[in-house]
Amino acid sequence: MSPVTHSPVSQKQLQELYYKNLTLTKEDLKKAVNEDQLIVQAIANITELDKVCNLLSKRLREWYGWYAPELSREVEDHQEFARLVAVGEKKKTESFGADLKKEDVQEMIFLAEEIMHLFALRKRHEEYLKIVMQEYCPNLLELSGATIAAHLLEMAKGLKHLALLPASTIQILGAEKALFRHIKTGSRSPKYGVLFQHPLVQKARAKERGKVARALADKLSLCARLDFFKGELKAGEYRKELEKKFEVKN
Amino acid sequence: MSPVTHSPVSQKQLQELYYKNLTLTKEDLKKAVNEDQLIVQAIANITELDKVCNLLSKRLREWYGWYAPELSREVEDHQEFARLVAVGEKKKTESFGADLKKEDVQEMIFLAEEIMHLFALRKRHEEYLKIVMQEYCPNLLELSGATIAAHLLEMAKGLKHLALLPASTIQILGAEKALFRHIKTGSRSPKYGVLFQHPLVQKARAKERGKVARALADKLSLCARLDFFKGELKAGEYRKELEKKFEVKN
């Protein structure tokens, strides 16, 4: 047999090929970013902001405690606490706190203002999430709210995968630790993961929560499929069904 | 022996005693807050802000990476990175990043602005620290700078204790872990703790650093005593001495 003869490739042709390949790769990369990624980034950021707000609020409480220890005890909510410090909530005359100079208190006020900013940013991100989801997965958004829906997408690694998951898996997304403990040690299987945060589950009696979570996961699975295949809006219907089934009074 | 007879105490007298006691306690509590506490709070806050800036900057880099991955590689400094994102640094046309909608990029810009705020607050706290220290411990401030001096005060639990510590202890404040390892396992004793950050130690050759740290701790110990007993300003002199001894060219 005679060896296969290649037609000679010129330097110029090679270079052309190289640039063509580069352009295609770039286009593919650009297309690789879709709503899934944006949602996952936004929810990761919200989670981080929650942590940061918590850290700084604790610092503020300790610091401000030297000046007006009573306030921290009276106001439990971090955001409200920061607001009161920022607006210069007058300290009570019978306070046990030290009489600090204006400059000393001013630093605490700066910190409080910063914390308020961070809370505002968190809220803004949530609004943004809603807008993205309204377009991308309206059914999921409607039935589970922005935060839970984003967590589900994050854990399932995208809408496509979420749509392919069985409802029983959706039910325990976010409870992986308990699930593996169940598999390894035979302890009870988890009844819910991130769905625990859902108002329907929260409102249910403790004994019924597993049942509610299962029904909710069923409907969410349907929602994910509707959203992925750009189907109609049925989440409102599902919600009413669930509320009727578990007799939730609004 | 006849029993000791108490003069009867009336209800009114008891109550008077109670209020007198309360007032005294309150006064004591108020006086308990001194510059030490303010400095420790401020430096704790600076440490926390550093951590927070770091966390959020990493988030921003990941998020913005979908849009313009090149920028994160080009700019290492977190603060500068946030600034460039915030001013809407134009993305290069040959970027590998996705073409995102304006609303999507806007969220990243909000985060970048927040990070810049946090950096600014950190700087402001440092200025405040300097002002408090200028009054309270000018020698320490002059010789070691606001951050190191504050860390020393934090670890020594106040100026009084710092003034009472031997120089050899000051030298290794902040290296407790290495010190106990040395005591338990006989590994080498640490040469410096927080003093490692000091420019004099930083500029010294690796072999000389222990020596520089020891000399510096000597002088800082003197500074702490001068500051505690409200002595004269000698830190400038000390600094020149040290610089001459270790031939630092400015």
Side-chain angles (χ1 to χ4, degrees):
Chain A
M1 278 203 303
S2 62
V4 182
T5 50
H6 294 282
S7 63
V9 182
S10 72
Q11 194 66 24
K12 205 187 143 208
Q13 278 172 312
L14 262 180
Q15 210 161 41
E16 263 171 26
L17 205 66
Y18 170 77
Y19 280 114
K20 210 159 183 178
N21 193 357
L22 190 69
T23 318
L24 285 172
T25 309
K26 247 187 209 178
E27 270 172 23
D28 275 0
L29 275 175
K30 274 176 196 264
K31 274 184 217 143
V33 180
N34 58 17
E35 273 81 358
D36 281 335
Q37 256 98 21
L38 294 175
I39 290 170
V40 167
Q41 287 294 325
I43 190 70
N45 209 34
I46 288 176
T47 313
E48 199 78 64
L49 282 174
D50 278 342
K51 213 193 299 173
V52 165
C53 284
N54 233 336
L55 278 174
L56 292 182
S57 292
K58 279 186 199 158
R59 284 256 74 253
L60 180 66
R61 278 174 189 271
E62 195 188 320
W63 200 359
Y64 203 74
W66 289 106
Y67 176 61
E70 295 81 9
L71 189 61
S72 182
R73 230 176 306 132
E74 278 164 26
V75 186
E76 271 200 17
D77 182 58
H78 283 338
Q79 193 171 1
E80 179 63 10
F81 183 79
R83 195 187 65 79
L84 287 173
V85 174
V87 298
E89 171 78 349
K90 275 278 181 311
K91 150 160 120 146
K92 300 192 180 88
T93 42
E94 77 270 25
S95 169
F96 274 80
D99 299 317
L100 297 180
K101 273 181 286 181
K102 216 176 146 194
E103 305 92 78
D104 298 324
V105 182
Q106 186 57 50
E107 292 297 306
M108 306 176 194
I109 293 178
F110 284 138
L111 178 60
E113 284 170 351
E114 197 59 47
I115 293 173
M116 285 177 67
H117 270 182
L118 287 164
F119 272 113
L121 182 62
R122 189 216 181 282
K123 206 173 163 200
R124 197 191 280 272
H125 280 330
E126 213 177 310
E127 292 302 319
Y128 162 75
L129 254 187
K130 272 184 207 159
I131 291 168
V132 175
M133 290 183 155
Q134 196 66 59
E135 187 81 2
Y136 184 60
C137 49
N139 282 301
L140 278 176
L141 174 65
E142 163 77 26
L143 188 53
S144 66
T147 318
I148 294 181
H151 276 303
L152 289 175
L153 286 171
E154 191 187 15
M155 284 180 294
K157 312 230 180 298
L159 182 56
K160 188 180 167 185
H161 287 109
L162 188 64
L164 293 172
L165 285 180
S168 56
T169 305
I170 294 180
Q171 188 186 339
I172 52 168
L173 273 180
E176 284 73 14
K177 213 172 141 190
L179 178 66
F180 284 111
R181 193 173 53 223
H182 161 64
I183 294 172
K184 276 174 75 178
T185 72
S187 63
R188 285 212 209 158
S189 66
K191 291 198 282 290
Y192 26 64
V194 66
L195 290 192
F196 180 65
Q197 307 292 335
H198 194 283
L200 274 172
V201 180
Q202 288 282 311
K203 276 186 216 154
R205 269 165 294 149
K207 271 189 122 177
E208 287 228 304
R209 281 187 179 159
K211 218 167 156 187
V212 177
R214 195 173 67 228
L216 180 62
D218 271 347
K219 297 298 182 199
L220 281 174
S221 168
L222 293 175
C223 286
R225 282 156 211 201
L226 282 171
D227 287 336
F228 183 64
F229 295 109
K230 302 287 162 223
E232 48 198 323
L233 266 176
K234 292 190 116 179
E237 222 172 276
Y238 294 157
R239 173 197 291 275
K240 269 179 215 143
E241 237 176 83
L242 288 171
E243 283 176 351
K244 204 178 151 196
K245 192 169 173 189
F246 297 107
E247 280 174 39
V248 176
K249 294 133 203 158
N250 281 320
Chain B
M1 280 204 303
S2 64
V4 184
T5 50
H6 294 283
S7 63
V9 182
S10 72
Q11 194 66 23
K12 204 186 145 212
Q13 278 174 311
L14 260 179
Q15 209 162 40
E16 262 172 27
L17 205 65
Y18 170 77
Y19 280 113
K20 211 159 181 177
N21 193 356
L22 190 69
T23 318
L24 285 171
T25 309
K26 246 187 210 180
E27 270 172 24
D28 275 0
L29 273 176
K30 275 176 196 264
K31 274 185 215 143
V33 179
N34 57 17
E35 273 81 358
D36 281 335
Q37 256 97 21
L38 294 175
I39 291 170
V40 167
Q41 288 293 327
I43 190 71
N45 209 33
I46 287 176
T47 313
E48 199 79 64
L49 283 174
D50 278 343
K51 213 192 300 173
V52 165
C53 284
N54 235 334
L55 278 175
L56 293 182
S57 293
K58 279 185 197 160
R59 284 257 76 253
L60 180 65
R61 278 174 189 271
E62 196 188 319
W63 201 0
Y64 203 72
W66 290 106
Y67 176 60
E70 296 81 6
L71 190 64
S72 184
R73 230 176 305 132
E74 279 164 25
V75 186
E76 271 200 17
D77 183 58
H78 282 339
Q79 193 171 0
E80 178 64 9
F81 183 79
R83 194 187 66 77
L84 287 174
V85 175
V87 298
E89 170 79 347
K90 276 278 180 313
K91 151 160 123 147
K92 298 191 182 91
T93 42
E94 77 269 25
S95 170
F96 274 80
D99 299 317
L100 297 181
K101 273 182 283 181
K102 216 176 146 193
E103 304 92 76
D104 298 324
V105 183
Q106 188 55 50
E107 290 299 304
M108 306 176 193
I109 293 178
F110 284 138
L111 177 60
E113 283 170 352
E114 197 58 48
I115 293 174
M116 285 177 69
H117 270 183
L118 286 164
F119 272 113
L121 182 63
R122 188 213 181 284
K123 207 175 162 198
R124 198 190 281 271
H125 279 331
E126 212 177 309
E127 293 302 319
Y128 162 74
L129 254 188
K130 273 186 205 157
I131 292 168
V132 175
M133 289 183 156
Q134 197 67 56
E135 188 83 0
Y136 184 60
C137 50
N139 282 300
L140 277 177
L141 175 64
E142 163 76 26
L143 188 54
S144 65
T147 319
I148 294 181
H151 276 302
L152 289 174
L153 287 171
E154 190 187 16
M155 284 180 294
K157 313 232 181 292
L159 183 56
K160 189 178 167 186
H161 287 108
L162 188 64
L164 292 172
L165 285 182
S168 56
T169 304
I170 294 180
Q171 188 187 337
I172 52 166
L173 273 180
E176 284 72 15
K177 214 172 138 188
L179 179 67
F180 284 111
R181 192 173 53 222
H182 160 64
I183 294 170
K184 277 175 73 177
T185 72
S187 64
R188 289 214 207 154
S189 67
K191 293 196 281 290
Y192 27 65
V194 66
L195 289 192
F196 180 67
Q197 307 292 336
H198 195 282
L200 275 171
V201 180
Q202 287 281 312
K203 277 187 213 153
R205 268 165 295 150
K207 272 189 118 178
E208 287 227 303
R209 281 187 178 158
K211 219 166 155 187
V212 177
R214 195 173 67 231
L216 180 62
D218 271 348
K219 298 298 183 200
L220 281 174
S221 167
L222 292 175
C223 286
R225 282 156 212 201
L226 281 171
D227 286 337
F228 182 64
F229 295 110
K230 302 286 160 223
E232 48 198 323
L233 265 176
K234 292 192 118 182
E237 223 171 274
Y238 294 156
R239 175 197 289 274
K240 271 181 211 141
E241 237 175 84
L242 289 171
E243 284 176 351
K244 205 177 148 197
K245 194 168 171 189
F246 297 106
E247 281 175 36
V248 175
K249 291 134 203 156
N250 282 321

